[in-house]
């Protein structure tokens, strides 16, 4: 959570060129990222104030988690928190990660010249 916000902050600050405005940020949430999207949005709005990202839209997507079944060797992507193998129904799964939040896309637009 904190890390993700720091990351967002870094991006918004580093692209803080005055002529540019960030209009959209896309984030990919790991399956286990225990973060409410609304909470993240609220924090982001606070962070984005007075930066190039002020008013930017925040879009979330859930990233499926690659899993391997230890019983039958089946590899699959887990898209829900349902820990059974779709092949054999076994619950002996191995996976790694899934808790991260990654910033995957930033859309930037030139700010119209003030006259
Ligand atoms: Zn299996």
């Amino acid at each position: 959570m904190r890390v993700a916000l720091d990351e967002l902050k870094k991006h918004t600050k580093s692209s803080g060129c005055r002529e540019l405005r960030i209009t959209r940020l896309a984030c990919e949430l790991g399956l286990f990222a225990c973060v409410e999207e609304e909470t993240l949005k609220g924090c982001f709005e606070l962070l984005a104030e007075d930066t190039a990202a002020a008013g930017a839209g925040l879009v979330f997507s859930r990233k499926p988690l690659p899993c391997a079944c230890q019983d039958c060797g089946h590899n699959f992507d887990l898209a829900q928190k349902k820990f059974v193998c779709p092949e054999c129904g076994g619950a002996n799964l191995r996976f790694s990660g899934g808790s991260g939040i990654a910033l995957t896309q930033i859309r930037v637009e030139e700010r119209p010249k003030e006259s």
Side-chain angles (χ1 to χ4, degrees), residues 68-76 84-93:
C69 176
Q70 299 297 283
D71 291 335
C72 71
H74 183 58
N75 289 301
F76 60 99
V84 290
C85 172
E87 278 295 302
C88 69
N92 191 9
L93 307 179

Side-chain angles (χ1 to χ4, degrees), residues 46-89:
L46 286 177
L47 278 177
E49 244 174 56
D50 301 324
T51 72
L58 205 50
V59 181
F60 295 100
S61 59
R62 289 274 167 178
K63 187 184 178 187
L65 183 69
C67 278
C69 176
Q70 299 297 283
D71 291 335
C72 71
H74 183 58
N75 289 301
F76 60 99
D77 283 337
L78 197 68
Q80 301 170 350
K81 290 182 184 173
K82 191 181 169 197
F83 304 101
V84 290
C85 172
E87 278 295 302
C88 69

Side-chain angles (χ1 to χ4, degrees), residues 10-30:
K10 208 167 68 195
H11 278 280
T12 54
K13 285 261 160 69
S14 66
S15 45
C17 171
R18 289 200 173 275
E19 284 75 40
L20 295 177
R21 204 168 73 87
I22 297 176
T23 56
R24 203 177 100 129
L25 289 157
C27 287
E28 203 171 59
L29 304 182

